[in-house]
Amino acid sequence: MRILSGIQPSGRLHVGNYFGMMDPAIRLQDDGEAFYFIADYHSLTTVHSPQELRENVRNVAVDFLACGLDPAKATFFRQSDVPEVAELSWLLSTVTPMGLLERCHSYKDKTARGHEATHGLFAYPVLMAADILIYDSHIVPVGEDQKQHLEVTRDIALKFNNRFGDTLVIPKPKIREVNAKVPGLDGQKMSKSYNNTLEIFGDEKATRKKIMSIITDSTPVEEPKDPSASIIVDLYRLVASKEQVTTMENDFKNGGVGYGDFKKRLFSAYWEFFMPMRERREELLADPEHVDEILKQGALKARETAAKTMERVRKACGIQ
Ligand code: ADP
Ligand code: TRP
């Protein structure tokens, strides 16, 4: 069974990325042959500084490895190191109905948020389909927001197979039900686009400040509070132990503890949860060549797999 997922290097990774995509992907690396990549071609639709793109790729590589991606188990590589994926994207685009892409939320959302309405942004799901199909992927673990793209991928693969005969493996999404939508500091979905993120490896002082500035209602300290309506509790559940969560829930219900105190507990639990990863990250930062080598080896392996699929695909459609 091949498991595949990708993440865009379009900014610093946050706690939503961790629980929605990275942690499930890391857990799955023991269950099959995992392929994980950094989607730099995709990021070009929104990141326009070459310097920033290079830095982001490096950061994502280091952060993902620090969080537990194990290159001995999973093949870890940069999307653009397998340029055949751009070729497959074109071939797939010739079977992709316009209507399928016109229905996609992400293009509408991104242009509404001010991103330039380019063909790349519009055709983004076709490249994503190519990412998945080129490695004959069976399982694709992602967050809820990518569900539509996986449906599009399946439709495109079926179209291709219908036109040219059985060539592509039809993948299955694995949408994380728990933590599929981690809330941001303002209660909306945590996302870099909303400027409401808690970075995985944020600076200590700045992160404490961010957590302390979570907006709460004005219930006085002594009054009971509703734990089911609090972002503080929602985030705490992700990073604290069961006992700690129960204590916080009881303190909410019983009253006598203020929001400031709850925020302090949230910061401590967050800081402690990511501590071992922070330490591993320091080691990786000190050895950039090691990280380069991991990506290089990953690319070699990914490219080998991609080459086999491309041979099949080219033959099927008459390019070869
Ligand atoms: P962002 O919204 O910050 O731009 P991306 O779209 O780059 O994040 O998401 C990368 C991965 O992380 C995707 O698989 C996505 O589903 C997951 N993800 C992003 N934000 C969240 C969140 N708030 N909760 C759960 N998963 C998330
Ligand atoms: N579109 C995904 C995101 O924004 C990233 C991505 C690109 C991806 N290609 C992929 C995810 C293939 C899974 C499989 O998060």
Side-chain angles (χ1 to χ4, degrees):
M1 181 180 68
R2 181 158 300 135
I3 304 151
L4 171 125
S5 198
I7 191 151
Q8 287 195 67
S10 48
R12 299 311 306 261
L13 295 174
H14 54 73
V15 169
N17 297 140
Y18 179 81
F19 288 101
M21 186 271 177
M22 298 162 72
D23 176 57
I26 289 164
R27 285 169 196 270
L28 276 170
Q29 70 191 358
D30 292 314
D31 294 1
E33 197 190 348
F35 274 48
Y36 298 139
F37 68 94
I38 304 171
D40 54 350
Y41 279 152
H42 274 116
S43 276
L44 274 175
T45 57
T46 54
V47 178
H48 301 147
S49 151
Q51 166 86 356
E52 190 186 331
L53 186 62
R54 277 185 209 107
E55 270 170 28
N56 286 353
V57 169
R58 172 141 293 274
N59 281 327
V60 170
V62 169
D63 291 0
F64 217 144
L65 290 166
C67 285
L69 189 150
D70 179 354
K73 294 180 184 161
T75 302
F76 186 39
F77 60 102
R78 200 163 54 158
Q79 182 184 32
S80 60
D81 279 337
V82 187
E84 288 85 352
V85 79
E87 180 190 354
L88 180 59
S89 181
W90 172 257
L91 299 178
L92 296 178
S93 79
T94 66
V95 303
T96 306
M98 283 296 284
L100 198 62
L101 300 181
E102 277 162 359
R103 281 197 293 277
C104 287
H105 311 303
S106 87
Y107 176 75
K108 289 182 235 170
D109 292 351
K110 285 186 178 156
T111 49
R113 272 191 265 122
H115 288 294
E116 203 183 341
T118 60
H119 174 259
L121 202 56
F122 184 71
Y124 182 112
V126 185
L127 179 58
M128 183 157 161
D131 287 328
I132 296 170
L133 300 171
I134 204 165
Y135 302 110
D136 290 337
S137 315
H138 301 105
I139 304 276
V140 185
V142 280
E144 170 79 27
D145 55 347
Q146 297 298 315
K147 199 171 161 190
Q148 190 181 37
H149 289 154
L150 294 183
E151 283 158 9
V152 168
T153 301
R154 287 167 59 91
D155 282 355
I156 293 177
L158 287 168
K159 277 259 175 204
F160 191 97
N161 285 355
N162 274 339
R163 185 172 294 174
F164 298 116
D166 224 3
T167 315
L168 299 168
V169 173
I170 313 293
K172 280 204 187 77
K174 189 176 168 79
I175 310 290
R176 175 127 171 178
E177 310 264 325
V178 198
N179 306 332
K181 223 179 201 174
V182 174
L185 298 174
D186 59 356
Q188 295 187 76
K189 182 201 133 169
M190 187 180 289
S191 169
K192 353 178 219 316
S193 340
Y194 304 147
N195 216 355
N196 63 357
T197 63
L198 203 53
E199 284 176 17
I200 304 176
F201 297 114
D203 166 73
E204 183 171 5
K205 235 172 137 184
T207 309
R208 184 183 284 118
K209 209 167 144 198
K210 266 188 165 184
I211 290 182
M212 295 311 289
S213 69
I214 293 177
I215 298 190
T216 50
D217 60 31
S218 51
T219 318
V221 173
E222 57 286 358
E223 298 271 311
K225 302 166 185 71
D226 182 4
S228 67
S230 168
I231 311 157
I232 304 172
V233 183
D234 286 345
L235 291 172
Y236 197 61
R237 277 199 193 98
L238 299 170
V239 290
S241 70
K242 268 206 177 100
E243 295 74 33
Q244 287 174 316
V245 173
T246 310
T247 307
M248 186 182 277
E249 284 172 343
N250 289 337
D251 288 346
F252 258 72
K253 288 185 219 152
N254 296 334
V257 184
Y259 285 120
D261 202 276
F262 292 132
K263 290 179 192 172
K264 279 188 195 147
R265 286 191 216 172
L266 171 59
F267 175 78
S268 305
Y270 151 84
W271 195 254
E272 206 170 300
F273 183 91
F274 289 108
M275 185 58 91
M277 304 172 207
R278 212 168 281 124
E279 285 165 5
R280 218 172 311 149
R281 182 165 176 271
E282 288 305 314
E283 289 166 22
L284 289 158
L285 284 174
D287 192 359
E289 274 144 39
H290 177 59
V291 176
D292 288 341
E293 188 57 28
I294 290 171
L295 292 178
K296 196 172 137 199
Q297 291 306 322
L300 281 175
K301 184 148 176 237
R303 212 164 173 191
E304 214 176 281
T305 308
K308 286 187 197 138
T309 310
M310 286 315 292
E311 215 179 285
R312 234 165 52 222
V313 168
R314 290 190 198 109
K315 267 198 192 117
C317 63
I319 290 294
Q320 223 169 48

